[in-house]
């Protein structure tokens, strides 16, 4: 991870494009090499703190639980049409309802909150040794909030990881974990059902799922195009990548005419007529109310896939360092204590979620800080193994 951080700092000067943009981020995303290096550094810092202090891991987990619960309550308030910011100042009214009926706001952006809460949900479930009213309430609220954001990938990732976890424990005949997880699934289902039936609007999540099954989901159609062009673009500048804004150029250069028409249908207003493509990201169109051409630049700056975005921006060497850090960390977590294994499951959820989303400043620092907490917990637990077997320790020391 340290090698990855150092490479990102050096690569900010080597990658094509504006150095300032590469370091800080693009106009629409604050996710430059400098900030990416900073949040990956949190993994090292968190691991060091947990190794140095015995109670650091418990404090980090407690903060995670409290943060998840507060975020969930904030999002649910928006879901029912109340903006908590208005309690501070009536003039700070944010958009809480939209045509799709998704909860929006500084702590409830679609996908971002879902990714964070999915990790918190898995960690919290696995850490529990028994069913308590607090655990049930906590997980039910968090699960409901994931649905309230309108996201679908994060809940699916949670279900996949927990099903795999349950099957593994069933094969190992660990009856305690096998009994607990189905109860949590039941409570989650009941809480989500209650939440959805207490609204007058048609549940947006169900509508989007139906559109997906019927092949009419525009977000899925656009993502398929993004992934196809990104797969071709990952071989441009393989050493340094294309920089923070790199995907924007790759996207338009690899589009077919049919794909470009699909993008225009999705991104331009429904009433747009006489659409013409001018090159790059620029289109012109007309609307019935006026005859003049309207110039419109379609902003496409992310592939909505963590791996593809990372390779395009940073290159294959950075992707190799990232993979080595991730795999070695996962192996260490799997051999660690309960906290470390919980974090490993949470990382599994986030990586599955990342197949349809991208790195963000609101979520990634939490994820990689949590990764470091798990690694530190595993290292600290491993440090007690020699003490439990003095003869083995003495023999290995003499070598």
């Amino acid at each position: 991870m340290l090698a990855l951080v150092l490479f990102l700092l050096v690569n900010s000067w080597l990658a094509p494009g504006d150095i300032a943009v590469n370091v800080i981020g693009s106009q629409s995303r604050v996710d430059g090499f400098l900030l990416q290096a900073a949040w990956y550094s949190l993994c090292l810092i968190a691991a060091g703190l947990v190794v140095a202090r015995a109670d650091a891991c418990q404090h980090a987990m407690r903060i995670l639980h409290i943060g998840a619960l507060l975020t969930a309550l904030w999002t649910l308030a928006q879901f029912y049409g109340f903006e908590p910011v208005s309690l501070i100042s009536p003039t700070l009214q944010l958009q809480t309802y939209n045509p799709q009926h998704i909860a929006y706001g500084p702590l409830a952006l679609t996908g971002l909150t879902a990714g964070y809460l999915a990790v918190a949900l898995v960690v919290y479930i696995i850490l529990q040794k028994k069913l308590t009213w607090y655990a049930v309430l906590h997980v039910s609220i968090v699960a409901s909030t994931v649905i309230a954001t309108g996201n679908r990938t994060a809940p699916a990732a949670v279900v996949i990881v927990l099903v795999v976890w349950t099957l593994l424990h069933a094969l190992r005949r660990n009856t305690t974990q096998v009994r607990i997880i189905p109860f949590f699934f039941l409570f989650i289902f009941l809480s989500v059902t209650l939440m959805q039936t207490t609204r007058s609007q048609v549940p947006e999540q169900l509508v989007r799922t139906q559109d997906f099954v019927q092949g009419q989901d525009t977000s899925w159609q656009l993502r398929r195009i993004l992934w196809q062009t990104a797969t071709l673009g990952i071989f441009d500048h393989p050493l340094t990548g294309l920089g923070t804004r790199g995907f924007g150029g790759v996207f338009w250069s690899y589009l077919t005419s049919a794909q470009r028409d699909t993008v225009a249908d999705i991104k331009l207003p429904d009433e747009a007529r006489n659409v013409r493509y001018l090159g790059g990201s620029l289109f012109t169109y007309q609307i019935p109310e006026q005859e003049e051409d309207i110039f419109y630049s379609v902003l496409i700056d992310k592939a909505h896939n963590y791996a593809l975005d990372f390779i395009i921006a940073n290159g294959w060497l950075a992707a190799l360092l990232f993979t080595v850090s991730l795999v070695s960390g996962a192996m260490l977590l799997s051999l660690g204590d309960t906290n470390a294994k919980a974090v490993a499951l949470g990382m599994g959820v986030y990586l599955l979620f990342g197949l349809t989303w991208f790195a963000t400043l609101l979520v990634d620092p939490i994820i990689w800080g949590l990764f470091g907490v798990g690694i530190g917990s595993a290292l600290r637990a491993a440090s007690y193994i020699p003490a439990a077997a003095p003869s083995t320790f003495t023999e290995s020391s003499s070598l």
Side-chain angles (χ1 to χ4, degrees):
M1 188 63 79
L2 179 59
L4 173 62
V5 170
L6 294 177
F7 180 83
L8 289 176
L9 294 177
V10 174
N11 200 36
S12 63
W13 299 86
L14 299 177
D18 191 328
I19 291 180
V21 172
N22 284 340
V23 171
I24 303 300
S26 63
Q27 294 177 348
S28 59
R29 317 281 190 197
V30 187
D31 58 355
F33 291 160
L34 181 61
L35 290 177
Q36 281 192 346
W39 64 47
Y40 293 136
S41 298
L42 288 176
C43 177
L44 303 173
I45 296 172
L49 290 175
V50 173
V51 171
R53 294 190 54 181
D55 58 347
C57 183
Q58 295 301 325
H59 288 331
M61 292 297 181
R62 192 174 296 112
I63 292 173
L64 179 68
H65 299 159
I66 295 174
L69 187 59
L70 293 178
T71 306
L73 293 174
W74 184 296
T75 308
L76 287 177
Q78 294 179 321
F79 182 76
Y80 286 102
F82 174 74
E83 175 52 62
V85 174
S86 62
L87 295 175
I88 303 174
S89 172
T91 60
L92 295 177
Q93 291 288 344
L94 300 180
Q95 182 185 14
T96 56
Y97 267 30
N98 53 80
Q100 289 77 36
H101 306 299
I102 306 174
Y104 276 100
L107 293 178
L109 293 173
T110 303
L112 307 186
T113 303
Y116 165 36
L117 295 179
V119 174
L121 172 62
V122 174
V123 170
Y124 195 83
I125 289 177
I126 303 305
L127 284 177
Q128 300 306 306
K129 299 297 184 181
K130 60 182 180 179
L131 286 174
T132 63
W133 70 268
Y134 175 74
V136 171
L137 179 63
H138 189 123
V139 173
S140 297
I141 292 176
V142 170
S144 299
T145 308
V146 173
I147 303 298
T149 59
N151 188 272
R152 292 162 292 175
T153 309
V158 172
V159 172
I160 292 172
V161 169
L162 289 184
V163 168
V164 172
W165 175 262
T166 303
L167 292 176
L168 288 176
H169 279 282
L171 294 175
R172 297 173 183 174
R173 298 184 179 180
N174 188 338
T175 57
T176 301
Q177 292 288 354
V178 173
R179 286 199 308 266
I180 289 178
I181 292 182
F183 275 107
F184 275 111
F185 272 120
L186 175 61
F187 289 124
I188 291 171
F189 175 77
L190 294 176
S191 62
V192 171
T193 302
L194 177 64
M195 180 197 69
Q196 293 285 22
T197 54
T198 52
R199 296 188 67 192
S200 58
Q201 293 87 358
V202 176
E204 187 270 346
Q205 185 82 290
L206 298 179
V207 174
R208 295 184 68 189
T209 302
Q210 181 180 355
D211 290 342
F212 173 77
V213 173
Q214 296 176 350
Q216 300 175 353
D217 182 23
T218 56
S219 66
W220 172 248
Q221 293 174 1
L222 181 59
R223 275 173 169 78
R224 289 179 60 186
I225 296 175
L226 294 174
W227 298 336
Q228 289 169 2
T229 55
T231 302
L232 298 174
I234 58 178
F235 299 101
D236 292 351
H237 292 273
L239 180 61
T240 61
L242 294 170
T244 300
R245 285 188 186 173
F247 180 66
V250 170
F251 177 74
W252 296 106
S253 62
Y254 283 111
L255 276 182
T256 65
S257 57
Q259 290 174 330
R260 190 170 58 239
D261 292 341
T262 301
V263 173
D265 290 339
I266 295 173
K267 289 293 185 178
L268 296 183
D270 294 337
E271 64 272 18
R273 300 291 184 272
N274 301 325
V275 178
R276 289 189 299 125
Y277 178 63
L278 300 182
S281 62
L282 193 61
F283 291 82
T284 64
Y285 65 90
Q286 295 176 335
I287 57 177
E289 290 77 13
Q290 64 183 65
E291 297 179 357
E292 295 81 5
D293 287 343
I294 299 175
F295 291 82
Y296 187 85
S297 179
V298 177
L299 176 62
I300 300 289
D301 64 344
K302 291 294 180 184
H304 281 259
N305 182 293
Y306 202 112
L308 292 175
D309 279 321
F310 189 92
I311 296 173
I312 289 176
N314 305 290
W316 283 96
L317 180 56
L320 176 62
L321 294 173
F322 179 81
T323 303
V324 171
S325 301
L326 196 62
V327 172
S328 59
M331 294 174 61
L332 182 62
L333 291 175
S334 65
L335 299 175
D337 58 4
T338 304
N339 292 337
K341 292 178 180 177
V343 172
L345 290 174
M347 290 299 299
V349 172
Y350 184 66
L351 292 175
L352 286 174
F353 169 68
L355 295 179
T356 60
W357 203 248
F358 47 83
T360 64
L361 186 61
L362 295 182
V363 174
D364 260 38
I366 299 170
I367 301 301
W368 300 112
L370 178 64
F371 190 39
V373 168
I375 290 176
S377 181
L379 290 173
R380 190 173 183 85
S383 67
Y384 293 110
I385 296 177
S391 59
T392 303
F393 178 75
T394 304
E395 181 180 354
S396 62
S397 299
S398 63
L399 296 177

